[in-house]
Amino acid sequence: QVQLVESGGGLVQAGGSLRLSCVLSGRPFSSFAMGWFRQAPGKDREFVAGISWSGGREFYGDSVKGRFTISRDNAKKTVYLQMNNLEPEDTAVYYCAADYRLNQLISTHQGDFDYWGRGTQVTVSS
């Protein structure tokens, strides 16, 4: 059974940084493309960033390009989201998700992801 556990959320002032981590257990990590999504109160869940199984390709949502960086360490079964220059609009619950695929494609659609973590809260104060 696959489990995803996020960590690293918290409260930060605008302009600050946080790094989220997500550890996968239960299946080989390198079988999955990984993604980060977020959901703010009253809003739909949105795609933030994705990375291919090898780490060779990355893709970002428009609102975070240039500020957030996704990376992965297959030996540690962990995907990271480095968030810099945070804005109050980044306040949301951040979810890690795993998409079982063995090509280099990255999906931005929630329905393509097979497993989800429970989320970690990120709050950015102005």
Side-chain angles (χ1 to χ4, degrees):
Q1 182 176 357
V2 173
Q3 287 190 318
L4 297 170
V5 179
E6 303 101 333
S7 61
L11 174 64
V12 64
Q13 289 188 333
S17 298
L18 283 174
R19 188 175 82 154
L20 305 183
S21 300
C22 172
V23 179
L24 182 147
S25 63
R27 289 189 70 173
F29 185 60
S30 58
S31 300
F32 296 94
M34 300 298 295
W36 288 96
F37 290 78
R38 68 185 182 186
Q39 188 166 20
K43 295 188 177 181
D44 293 334
R45 190 174 297 186
E46 67 169 340
F47 173 81
V48 175
I51 189 166
S52 62
W53 72 266
S54 68
R57 294 188 65 187
E58 304 165 19
F59 191 76
Y60 296 92
D62 288 341
S63 60
V64 306
K65 281 180 184 176
R67 300 188 298 122
F68 291 11
T69 303
I70 189 170
S71 61
R72 66 189 293 160
D73 184 333
N74 283 358
K76 295 183 178 180
K77 299 185 176 183
T78 302
V79 62
Y80 304 96
L81 185 68
Q82 178 66 44
M83 305 185 294
N84 297 329
N85 194 20
L86 283 160
E87 303 169 352
E89 292 74 22
D90 296 317
T91 295
V93 178
Y94 283 72
Y95 297 91
C96 170
D99 175 12
Y100 181 74
R101 62 173 65 238
L102 298 179
N103 54 36
Q104 294 293 320
L105 298 179
I106 300 169
S107 176
T108 64
H109 301 290
Q110 299 180 50
D112 288 335
F113 286 79
D114 303 289
Y115 303 99
W116 291 81
R118 293 187 175 185
T120 185
Q121 177 70 46
V122 171
T123 303
V124 184
S125 63
S126 58

